[in-house]
Amino acid sequence: ERNNLAGVQHILLVLSGKGGVGKSTISTELALSLRHSGKKVGILDVDLCGPSIPRMFRVQDKAVHQCDSGWVPVFVDQDKSISLMSIGFLLEKPDDAVVWRGPKKNALIKQFVADVAWGDLDFLIVDTPPGTSDEHISTVEALRPYKPHGAILVTTPQAVSVGDVRRELTFCKKMGLHILGIVENMSGFVCPHCSECTNIFSKGGGEELAKHAGVPFLGCVPLDPQLSQSLEEGRDFIQEFPKSSAFPPLAHIAQQILDGMSQQSS
């Protein structure tokens, strides 16, 4: 049986119990940050009903090809430093809805894990849908033989979101998945004119949850129009907007992941 994940050094899952908190945003910017640190990165988008990763890298018109080892992922750049796999590449029309029951979704997730020819990667980032049910169980169980390094949990500051992410913590513990840390996304809005930060969704919920759960807190990422613009247009935020207020926390999150990996290998 072929092992298409044999060349992957570290597998990271990006999780949240709630939708709309920015898992795909964090996955995208983490991949770009790691790429600028000289790493080769893949993103596996298992959000089957809302695949947004292809658009965020502006490759939604690309197609997936077959090779002897399975599916060839879509490469973002000529250097092949970021590769992607998503159901978005397999739909006949970009607006097609995936109206599938659980077993068909689970079968595709297992196929994504087994049949994508990733080649050599430093990191494979798995962008997941919201919740703690079918797709999550299938993803974790399919990846278990390859020993995923752990999960990054994404929340927004308000109590409703933090409550859902608390359930995701329970899911990780039940599934034996190591928690790398919590990211608080949309943590305040920084005015582009005066640089004052307004806490639209309150503040500190993610940090408080991390402290209560005894897991690392990776940082707060503010709402930033430049970040939204770069995702809408498929631009490299890390390269193009180093003076943005969202740049330091995103770079810091990636650095903590890299530091954790180097400590583990030493």
Side-chain angles (χ1 to χ4, degrees):
E1 186 181 347
R2 64 175 177 240
N3 178 5
N4 279 329
L5 292 174
V8 178
Q9 299 300 312
H10 305 288
I11 300 173
L12 312 176
L13 289 91
V14 178
L15 300 169
S16 177
K18 190 166 185 61
V21 298
K23 290 182 296 299
S24 297
T25 297
I26 298 300
S27 297
T28 297
E29 300 310 327
L30 179 58
L32 290 168
S33 297
L34 293 170
R35 195 255 304 263
H36 288 297
S37 299
K39 305 299 182 185
K40 286 191 76 170
V41 187
I43 301 183
L44 175 56
D45 181 5
V46 294
D47 190 349
L48 303 184
C49 296
S52 49
I53 289 292
R55 178 175 178 137
M56 289 180 170
F57 284 94
R58 211 172 187 175
V59 290
Q60 63 267 40
D61 298 327
K62 299 278 183 76
V64 170
H65 302 289
Q66 290 276 348
C67 70
D68 292 341
S69 304
W71 282 328
V72 179
V74 169
F75 296 103
V76 171
D77 53 5
Q78 288 185 330
D79 297 336
K80 299 184 176 181
S81 58
I82 297 183
S83 50
L84 313 175
M85 176 51 76
S86 169
I87 196 174
F89 299 127
L90 306 177
L91 300 174
E92 285 187 20
K93 299 174 186 173
D95 295 333
D96 283 354
V98 178
V99 188
W100 291 357
R101 293 187 186 276
K104 197 170 179 182
K105 288 182 183 177
N106 297 342
L108 182 64
I109 289 170
K110 288 171 185 170
Q111 196 173 357
F112 273 168
V113 170
D115 289 348
V116 180
W118 293 107
D120 292 330
L121 292 179
D122 295 299
F123 291 92
L124 177 63
I125 299 168
V126 184
D127 182 33
T128 65
T132 56
S133 57
D134 267 17
E135 288 105 312
H136 298 77
I137 296 166
S138 294
T139 303
V140 173
E141 287 184 344
L143 289 170
R144 198 185 300 281
Y146 311 104
K147 298 182 171 58
H149 185 70
I152 297 167
L153 304 189
V154 183
T155 185
T156 52
Q158 67 266 53
V160 171
S161 176
V162 169
D164 287 342
V165 176
R166 190 176 282 114
R167 296 183 192 98
E168 198 76 43
L169 279 163
T170 310
F171 169 83
C172 290
K173 286 171 184 171
K174 283 186 176 178
M175 298 299 290
L177 197 58
H178 175 60
I179 298 163
L180 298 172
I182 293 175
V183 173
E184 183 175 296
N185 195 24
M186 307 182 198
S187 183
F189 170 73
V190 179
C191 174
H193 304 293
C194 68
S195 299
E196 182 180 345
C197 183
T198 305
N199 295 319
I200 300 172
F201 300 125
S202 76
K203 187 174 174 62
E207 188 168 7
E208 190 65 34
L209 176 61
K211 194 182 297 181
H212 177 75
V215 300
F217 181 66
L218 299 176
C220 297
V221 181
L223 280 165
D224 187 322
Q226 290 178 324
L227 178 56
S228 303
Q229 179 190 351
S230 71
L231 292 164
E232 286 288 333
E233 298 174 2
R235 295 162 66 186
D236 186 338
F237 173 79
I238 300 297
Q239 185 174 37
E240 294 188 36
F241 300 103
K243 294 183 179 177
S244 158
S245 55
F247 178 90
L250 287 168
H252 182 59
I253 290 165
Q255 191 56 52
Q256 287 179 88
I257 298 298
L258 288 168
D259 291 346
M261 301 307 166
S262 59
Q263 284 174 11
Q264 184 191 39
S265 54
S266 61

